[in-house]
Amino acid sequence: MNEIHQVQVQDKARDKARGEVRGEVRGEVRGEKAPASVRPRRNRAWYAVPVGMVAAGALAFTFLAGPGESGGDTGYHLSAAPVVKVEVGSANGVGALMENVAERASQGPAARVGVNQFVHVRSHYSNMQAEDGSPLKLKTYYREAWTSQNPDKVRSRLKQPGDDIIWSAPRDGDERLAEWNRNHTYAALEKLPTEPDALLKKLREDAAYSGSSDQNLFDYVAGLINENILPPETGAAIYRAAAKIPGVVALDRAQDGDGRPGVALARTDERDHERNELVFDANSYDYLGMRAYLVQNTELGKKGTVTEMQAVLDRGVVDSRDETPKK
């Protein structure tokens, strides 16, 4: 299955992750199939797990009976991957953009997420589907994620067409994954430093299991933002820290997975020439979602080909993983 990010098996795991791009390879995890949407080199969602841990079989899944349904959608559809204009980004605009986003985040609700609760996020999501010799397509569907705030005792859940998955605890002795789960709860985020330089240092340390590159750090920060609820002060600090990641640029024109226009903080992965955009509303500076696409011609497609998109539709706090927020 917010995709956690390259330890000693970094190169091997990355090759495995990219193999999924060519056929949606289902990784074997403790003898059970991982859901098809896993892109382990990313760390954009709660179900993301460090690539090396996926390769080593550090997790177990429980698949619930029956296909998942979400938002009234009973399946998915495949379509040709769109090709978008590759906008020119500016490093000079990063500070001002992130300051606006941070100010908005600091005004968010201060209601704390309790230790026995779940963060629920409903999204519209698209990811790469391709086979050798076939044009790249996007698989698009709705999904819901319930992130446990007590991951040592209560499991998180992902529900999407064809899969309804409970993530179990890591196997005995795998403390790195257990620590990752604990570090992403609301209570843990509240304890992070709020001075941007100190926070950036801490985030780089936390992301170290995935390698030391600035792209891994950017993906780790994206994972904190994407399917989570951030404490207001922490959220503001995370955005200010993100502005300091080398290689990030601001984009005046961007779109989320539903085509909603906005502005973006973006970074291009030097390894595969893929740009990842974190998209915000241009007026309110609320987080809308993400989009990734190629910035030059590669074996996966031509310049501008979209490889992944997400639009966050609903976000809230619930008391069980069978519950959705009241409107």
Side-chain angles (χ1 to χ4, degrees):
M1 298 163 16
N2 357 168
E3 309 174 342
I4 302 180
H5 301 82
Q6 290 153 347
V7 279
Q8 289 182 337
V9 293
Q10 178 179 1
D11 293 334
K12 180 179 179 182
R14 186 184 302 152
D15 289 342
K16 181 179 179 181
R18 288 174 181 166
E20 184 243 340
V21 167
R22 291 164 176 78
E24 197 164 20
V25 175
R26 288 175 175 262
E28 294 299 319
V29 183
R30 293 187 99 179
E32 300 184 53
K33 286 184 178 181
S37 63
V38 175
R39 293 191 66 204
R41 67 190 178 82
R42 294 276 181 216
N43 184 10
R44 291 197 275 257
W46 66 263
Y47 55 75
V49 293
V51 162
M53 298 175 189
V54 171
L59 293 181
F61 303 103
T62 299
F63 283 77
L64 305 184
E69 291 187 14
S70 180
D73 188 83
T74 58
Y76 62 86
H77 69 269
L78 291 174
S79 60
V83 178
V84 300
K85 180 181 178 181
V86 178
E87 301 285 349
V88 177
S90 170
N92 294 331
V94 168
L97 171 60
M98 286 295 96
E99 187 58 35
N100 286 332
V101 173
E103 283 296 319
R104 175 67 180 117
S106 69
Q107 299 165 14
R112 194 172 182 279
V113 186
V115 67
N116 295 316
Q117 293 183 304
F118 296 80
V119 171
H120 173 270
V121 176
R122 177 173 171 265
S123 303
H124 199 199
Y125 183 73
S126 301
N127 67 323
M128 275 191 281
Q129 306 295 300
E131 296 178 359
D132 288 336
S134 299
L136 175 65
K137 292 184 179 296
L138 285 184
K139 179 179 179 180
T140 301
Y141 49 93
Y142 291 91
R143 73 180 184 190
E144 292 177 272
W146 288 260
T147 305
S148 172
Q149 300 300 296
N150 189 4
D152 289 324
K153 296 183 179 179
V154 183
R155 300 170 185 177
S156 297
R157 178 185 184 187
L158 176 72
K159 185 178 181 182
Q160 61 190 27
D163 291 319
D164 199 343
I165 304 156
I166 303 298
W167 282 81
S168 73
R171 66 186 180 189
D172 292 342
D174 198 338
E175 280 304 310
R176 283 186 299 174
L177 181 55
E179 182 181 5
W180 190 94
N181 290 334
R182 290 190 291 265
N183 286 347
H184 284 65
T185 66
Y186 191 92
L189 294 172
E190 280 188 311
K191 297 176 182 178
L192 289 174
T194 55
E195 194 282 317
D197 288 324
L199 177 58
L200 191 65
K201 180 180 179 181
K202 170 65 171 144
L203 295 177
R204 194 178 286 278
E205 291 171 354
D206 290 346
Y209 60 74
S210 63
S212 59
S213 79
D214 294 321
Q215 184 64 39
N216 290 335
L217 175 59
F218 182 84
D219 288 344
Y220 184 85
V221 170
L224 290 177
I225 295 167
N226 192 265
E227 286 181 341
N228 214 341
I229 289 179
L230 303 175
E233 190 175 3
T234 304
I238 286 174
Y239 290 122
R240 291 183 175 115
K244 296 175 174 287
I245 298 174
V248 296
V249 297
L251 299 172
D252 293 332
R253 287 180 294 274
Q255 290 186 348
D256 72 357
D258 264 6
R260 296 178 295 188
V263 293
L265 180 73
R267 194 180 193 284
T268 297
D269 190 334
E270 302 89 347
R271 299 166 295 190
D272 56 13
H273 311 293
E274 183 185 37
R275 176 187 276 176
N276 179 21
E277 300 175 341
L278 305 179
V279 184
F280 304 89
D281 185 275
N283 296 312
S284 70
Y285 295 103
D286 288 326
Y287 179 72
L288 297 179
M290 58 75 57
R291 182 174 67 171
Y293 52 86
L294 303 175
V295 296
Q296 68 180 55
N297 296 337
T298 76
E299 61 179 1
L300 291 179
K302 65 180 181 179
K303 179 179 178 180
T305 300
V306 173
T307 57
E308 190 173 6
M309 296 188 292
Q310 186 172 24
V312 175
L313 305 178
D314 298 298
R315 195 187 298 260
V317 181
V318 295
D319 294 327
S320 81
R321 62 183 179 221
D322 297 314
E323 186 180 346
T324 57
K326 295 179 174 60
K327 300 293 185 181

